[in-house]
Amino acid sequence: IYYFSAITVNIFGITDVTKKPMRMLAFGYTEDQGGKGGNNVASLIVKALRELGWIKEDGSTGKQLTIILDNCGGQNKNNFVLRLAPWLVETKLFKKVEIIFYVRGHTKNACDRLFNQLKLRYHKSQTYTMRQMVDILNASPNITFKEARGEDFFDYGGMLDKFYKKFPGG
């Protein structure tokens, strides 16, 4: 029975609210490829920015990036993600980066609505492999779902520790 246990799939999504209709780029990965936490969130933010073309491969600097996060303290409100903003500016990837947190209790947003579309598709299906999950979740018209692998995750915490002090807790 142990071998029939469901495997955990973590999903990270970034929504482009400037597009009409809004579009989400989502990455899913199994627990053997990566866990939950700041390094995972920071890694997938940078991966998404590259895949969306917001980090320019020609070395030019983007204007302004606004990242809106929910109030998840363990994943979003941590030193990895918060110190990512000045790093993106100082490496000249963007001229300005701001991070906005929704007020607790008022966190329903565009990304949540698109995540609900993912959940509806997933819960109505029999999914046994990651390949099946990718196929099922890409059937949503406003969502691109990709598998993230272990090599997609970088130790941003270790790198950022060399340049920035940690924010105090509280």
Side-chain angles (χ1 to χ4, degrees):
I1 300 223
Y2 170 79
Y3 294 101
F4 291 114
S5 299
I7 190 166
T8 299
V9 176
N10 298 309
I11 299 177
F12 169 86
I14 191 164
T15 301
D16 183 352
V17 297
T18 65
K19 301 271 191 255
K20 298 295 178 209
M22 289 179 276
R23 301 231 0 113
M24 176 193 279
L25 174 59
F27 296 100
Y29 56 96
T30 56
E31 52 198 1
D32 65 320
Q33 296 297 314
K36 285 185 151 190
N39 270 327
N40 299 84
V41 174
S43 295
L44 293 176
I45 286 173
V46 173
K47 181 175 178 59
L49 294 174
R50 283 197 169 96
E51 292 206 15
L52 290 166
W54 297 350
I55 290 179
K56 310 287 188 217
E57 297 302 323
D58 65 1
S60 61
T61 302
K63 291 182 181 175
Q64 178 174 329
L65 174 67
T66 301
I67 302 173
I68 303 170
L69 299 165
D70 63 22
N71 268 311
C72 182
Q75 295 169 349
N76 295 335
K77 284 183 168 176
N78 63 57
N79 276 290
F80 303 95
V81 176
L82 295 175
R83 293 183 299 166
L84 191 63
W87 178 79
L88 289 168
V89 173
E90 290 180 11
T91 55
K92 299 194 182 330
L93 295 172
F94 293 93
K95 289 182 181 172
K96 180 179 179 181
V97 175
E98 60 184 357
I99 296 178
I100 298 170
F101 292 98
Y102 280 108
V103 176
R104 182 171 284 154
H106 300 279
T107 59
K108 294 299 178 200
N109 57 51
C111 202
D112 288 336
R113 288 190 292 280
L114 292 170
F115 264 110
N116 286 337
Q117 284 183 22
L118 284 178
K119 286 180 191 175
L120 289 173
R121 286 208 166 275
Y122 174 77
H123 289 301
K124 292 182 179 180
S125 66
Q126 295 289 322
T127 308
Y128 302 102
T129 66
M130 185 57 115
R131 179 77 249 154
Q132 288 175 328
M133 178 172 269
V134 169
D135 292 341
I136 288 166
L137 296 182
N138 273 316
S140 297
N142 299 334
I143 299 166
T144 301
F145 185 84
K146 297 183 175 189
E147 180 179 3
R149 310 281 309 165
E151 57 267 15
D152 292 323
F153 300 109
F154 178 72
D155 181 13
Y156 277 96
M159 185 264 300
L160 294 169
D161 282 346
K162 295 176 184 175
F163 303 110
Y164 306 105
K165 291 181 183 178
K166 290 186 178 181
F167 290 103

